[in-house]
Amino acid sequence: MDIETFKPVSTFLPTSPKSKNFFVLLTDLLIQEVSEPFFQKVLDLSISAIPVAQAGSMMVLRGECYHFVAARGYNLQKLQTINLSLDESILLAEPNRNSFPLHNLDSFNETRLDAERQQVLQIAGRVAEIRETLVIPVWQQGQIIATLSLDNFDYVSAFTREDIETGEQLGVVLGLGLRLQNYQEQVAEFGKLKSLNEQSLDSLEVPLCPRDVDILNCICEGLSDKQIARKLGLQFSTTRNYVRRLYERLGVNSRIQAVKWCEKNGIKMNEG
């Protein structure tokens, strides 16, 4: 994670009174599981934070295409029958902007989408009725992983500079929250693997002490005795004795056999 991510939280929070829901959004991002209801709540909070937004939708990058995950004022079920690549999405209008207004959405789609998907957006997404859209990309590590589209049906210039700045803040908060979610999921997965390995080690007929596990990990990484000694801060002769004793406990005669022993007993060690 880059240094920019660790700016004070106050840097990302809104300053205008109408954006107070950002505090609720930030809290939810940190404690809720990312799911379809989560995305819908994000969209609803975004619409409430920018009062001139009368409807909206949210798309998330899955694989190489963006898919609809939430909608307010539109038929989400129908919208979810289509997806858009980056080159086909409204993000192409201003590819390097954090938040920007867009007009003539229907005409924009005509130049990039086939007739079938245009029809879905016209009927389920009411694109011909939209006078102005506030597009809010959500960036993560140089890639747009999601996008919010907040729509107004009444005015061509409905969104003010303040609304656009609020949208930028929302995009940053979302990007930070989703990135934290990714790290939390990785930590949770690591914890599950660690727990399973500990249970497997505890259930073995062959008792292994913590040092045996360290040595076995290094062997599975493909390290030589000298490299193991350097990594664990041991004398070379001591390391050779540990390796010899480990072989005796496992009933093996080589590194390859030690690795196969781990596989046979369902122990997932580090691999080089």
Side-chain angles (χ1 to χ4, degrees):
M1 187 181 295
D2 52 49
I3 296 175
E4 286 294 312
T5 306
F6 288 100
K7 290 180 179 178
V9 174
S10 58
T11 304
F12 304 118
L13 295 179
T15 55
S16 60
K18 71 180 182 180
S19 304
K20 290 181 180 179
N21 277 323
F22 272 51
F23 292 98
V24 180
L25 173 60
L26 181 59
T27 302
D28 285 345
L29 280 170
L30 298 179
I31 64 175
Q32 288 192 10
E33 180 182 355
V34 174
S35 60
E36 303 299 312
F38 166 84
F39 290 126
Q40 186 62 52
K41 187 168 185 178
V42 168
L43 176 62
D44 291 342
L45 284 168
S46 302
I47 292 174
S48 66
I50 303 179
V52 293
Q54 299 169 323
S57 61
M58 184 173 184
M59 303 188 78
V60 170
L61 182 63
R62 291 173 176 167
E64 297 182 356
C65 293
Y66 293 90
H67 299 256
F68 285 96
V69 294
R72 177 64 60 203
Y74 306 122
N75 187 330
L76 177 59
Q77 187 175 1
K78 292 289 186 182
L79 290 174
Q80 289 179 324
T81 62
I82 65 172
N83 57 66
L84 307 174
S85 68
L86 177 60
D87 291 340
E88 295 170 334
S89 73
I90 56 178
L91 297 169
L92 195 63
E94 297 282 350
N96 298 315
R97 293 281 297 279
N98 291 326
S99 177
F100 60 91
L102 182 66
H103 311 114
N104 301 318
L105 186 58
D106 200 17
S107 299
F108 183 86
N109 290 332
E110 286 180 1
T111 62
R112 289 169 173 78
L113 303 181
D114 55 77
E116 183 179 351
R117 286 184 295 172
Q118 285 184 48
Q119 184 176 24
V120 171
L121 290 174
Q122 287 170 355
I123 297 175
R126 302 168 57 191
V127 293
E129 302 175 42
I130 299 171
R131 302 296 300 278
E132 185 173 52
T133 294
L134 180 60
V135 183
I136 305 172
V138 180
W139 291 85
Q140 193 174 101
Q141 296 180 323
Q143 183 180 38
I144 298 175
I145 60 169
T147 179
L148 279 165
S149 299
L150 306 183
D151 305 319
N152 181 279
F153 302 109
D154 297 329
Y155 307 105
V156 174
S157 298
F159 297 99
T160 65
R161 166 45 56 184
E162 186 179 8
D163 294 329
I164 295 172
E165 291 176 353
T166 298
E168 291 176 354
Q169 293 170 331
L170 176 58
V172 171
V173 172
L174 272 172
L176 175 60
L178 292 175
R179 192 166 187 178
L180 287 173
Q181 283 283 351
N182 288 338
Y183 278 106
Q184 289 170 354
E185 290 173 1
Q186 292 173 14
V187 169
E189 184 63 25
F190 175 79
K192 290 178 182 177
L193 290 174
K194 185 174 184 293
S195 176
L196 288 173
N197 283 342
E198 288 174 346
Q199 292 174 19
S200 298
L201 288 169
D202 290 341
S203 64
L204 291 174
E205 295 182 1
V206 179
L208 297 179
C209 67
R211 180 58 74 190
D212 290 332
V213 175
D214 291 339
I215 297 294
L216 190 54
N217 255 316
C218 291
I219 290 175
C220 290
E221 289 177 8
L223 301 183
S224 66
D225 288 352
K226 287 184 179 180
Q227 291 171 323
I228 294 174
R230 191 179 304 115
K231 180 174 181 178
L232 300 181
L234 302 172
Q235 294 292 328
F236 176 65
S237 59
T238 303
T239 301
R240 295 194 66 179
N241 288 334
Y242 275 132
V243 172
R244 187 181 304 111
R245 187 181 67 180
L246 177 64
Y247 282 179
E248 292 175 355
R249 289 187 174 181
L250 301 183
V252 301
N253 299 308
S254 67
R255 280 170 160 71
I256 294 177
Q257 290 180 2
V259 173
K260 289 184 176 179
W261 181 92
C262 289
E263 295 174 352
K264 179 181 178 180
N265 288 277
I267 307 301
K268 183 176 176 60
M269 310 301 283
N270 296 333
E271 297 179 356

